[in-house]
Amino acid sequence: MTTLTVKITDAVIKKALADSTICQLKDPRYSLYFRINRHRTGGSWTLVHYQHGKQYRRKVGSYPSLSSKKLFEALPDIIQALAVDVKQPVQTDSLMTLGQVLRWYLTRSETDRSITKVRKTNIKSMISKHLLPSLETVAVNAVDHGLMDEKLMWPLQQRLNISTVQAVFKVLKQATKQANRLKMISHDPLAGVIFSDFIQAKIHAKDGALRAEQLPTLAQQWQHHQDKSTVMLAVMMISCGTRIGETRMAKWTDIDFQRGEWFIPAENTKTKQAHRLPLTPSMVALLEQYRTMSNSAFLFSNGNRKALSASKASEQIRALSNGQWTAHDLRKLARTCWADNGVDYMVAEMLLNHALSKLDQAYIHTYAEQQKRQALVAYHDQLAQAGFFLCLDNRTNRLTTPTAQVNTANPTPCLA
């Protein structure tokens, strides 16, 4: 591996990246080095400065975010700054505008395995539809409260819900924070800036589109719906309070019929933590019946023995609801019923698989597992009386056998 001394240009860099024998370029005009990264996709700029017989190395940017042309334009100012204080950290911003910051963050998010597909889609939508049209050409160094209010916050609140405006603002904040953390910009222009600086209105939780008194009507409609796979998807969500993403990716190997438990792997959950849900006898019986209709490893398949896609699952729920409610409304309704039934707040949070603090997690291990099952048994009694466990038949009579009387060791369908 060699160091090539040459007048550095972008063309020279591209040739060097393709030559595996070259690890570094040196421009003798400025004691400037370009160090190629191990993936040979770019590299870092380092300026060597001498003062009082000592050598100081300062990273001043990264390529390709910072081109050679932009770097050489900034070098005189960097050298002058080092002459005043040789020990100060000097960095030329690789990302000069908010548009560049947002595009960099979007690319990074799309390849981040810790972010769910749904979150990636939301980030892309907020950046492309709201942030870039408003802030594309705004220089990072020009950002202040007045500019942000004029170009982004006030126009957005005129056409979007306040909660959506806040979500867009959070994406922008995360983008600048991450860029600053990784030294892509020399400072975070939004550090210390908060949403309430612009909008003081309180954000109220949106009411669910479904109410507990609608359960019998809902069950009757589902019993007569022709697509039983879609009905079963909805029944699992309303019965267990699960998210549509967690539910559509369920496998039969995740269902333990003997123990009465549904295991949701960490990669399928929003919190990236594995989740275990008790299955009551009524749910076990219904799943046993549904299994006779399935020929896939997944409970809900797209037809080629793969998990139902997110778009297809949402489409099926829209068809089932006739556009009147969403999959999240089923989750909200389950949470409301638990509250009405007196379920402990922490137990409900665990059933929903919300992110919990370490203190809350300790509480769970000592108390909540048994309480989870008791909460679902009482709730499924309520659903059974409404007729939800008759959903795979077209009959209209309601279940009268109490949930607790069904034998989990040798379950029989609730519809018999």
Side-chain angles (χ1 to χ4, degrees), residues 139-204:
V140 172
N141 291 334
V143 173
D144 59 27
H145 280 73
L147 185 145
M148 286 293 298
D149 187 65
E150 176 188 350
K151 287 188 170 292
L152 181 69
M153 304 303 290
W154 204 244
L156 284 186
Q157 65 84 31
Q158 291 177 336
R159 65 178 189 270
L160 300 175
N161 293 331
I162 299 301
S163 59
T164 304
V165 178
Q166 185 180 49
V168 172
F169 179 70
K170 285 181 178 179
V171 169
L172 176 61
K173 283 270 291 182
Q174 185 60 39
T176 59
K177 180 179 180 180
Q178 188 72 11
N180 177 243
R181 183 183 292 125
L182 296 180
K183 307 301 182 185
M184 304 301 291
I185 54 178
S186 57
H187 74 288
D188 182 357
L190 296 178
V193 179
I194 58 177
F195 182 74
S196 60
D197 290 342
F198 308 97
I199 300 174
Q200 288 76 44
K202 291 185 178 180
I203 300 176
H204 300 284

Side-chain angles (χ1 to χ4, degrees), residues 275-405:
H275 188 38
R276 294 179 183 273
L277 278 166
L279 294 177
T280 64
S282 290
M283 181 56 73
V284 167
L286 189 63
L287 284 167
E288 287 280 14
Q289 183 183 11
Y290 180 64
R291 184 163 59 170
T292 65
M293 307 175 183
S294 173
N295 60 357
S296 170
F298 294 91
L299 275 70
F300 309 103
S301 172
N302 61 4
N304 60 2
R305 301 198 175 189
K306 292 185 178 180
L308 190 65
S309 67
S311 59
K312 186 63 175 177
S314 297
E315 178 186 324
Q316 290 181 356
I317 293 300
R318 282 195 298 272
L320 180 64
S321 71
N322 197 26
Q324 298 301 305
W325 42 265
T326 67
H328 192 63
D329 285 318
L330 298 177
R331 183 170 161 87
K332 283 185 175 181
L333 180 55
R335 182 64 179 88
T336 298
C337 289
W338 296 339
D340 292 343
N341 292 344
V343 174
D344 181 90
Y345 172 81
M346 194 61 65
V347 174
E349 288 294 286
M350 185 180 182
L351 285 169
L352 292 173
N353 197 23
H354 281 165
L356 303 176
S357 68
K358 291 183 178 180
L359 180 61
D360 292 340
Q361 291 172 11
Y363 170 87
I364 285 167
H365 286 303
T366 59
Y367 171 73
E369 286 300 326
Q370 181 181 358
Q371 300 300 315
K372 283 168 55 180
R373 184 171 292 277
Q374 292 178 359
L376 288 187
V377 166
Y379 174 51
H380 286 191
D381 277 343
Q382 181 182 3
L383 295 183
Q385 292 301 318
F388 279 93
F389 298 109
L390 295 171
C391 68
L392 299 185
D393 276 0
N394 292 327
R395 295 181 296 175
T396 57
N397 59 301
R398 297 181 181 178
L399 181 68
T400 57
T401 304
T403 303
Q405 293 179 9

Side-chain angles (χ1 to χ4, degrees), residues 26-42:
K26 179 181 183 297
D27 193 312
R29 296 174 296 172
Y30 298 99
S31 294
L32 179 71
Y33 291 83
F34 175 73
R35 180 75 177 181
I36 298 174
N37 63 33
R38 63 188 181 92
H39 298 295
R40 308 198 73 82
T41 57

Side-chain angles (χ1 to χ4, degrees), residues 3 132 205 227 238 250 279 324:
T3 297
L132 284 176
D227 186 349
I238 198 172
L279 294 177
Q324 298 301 305

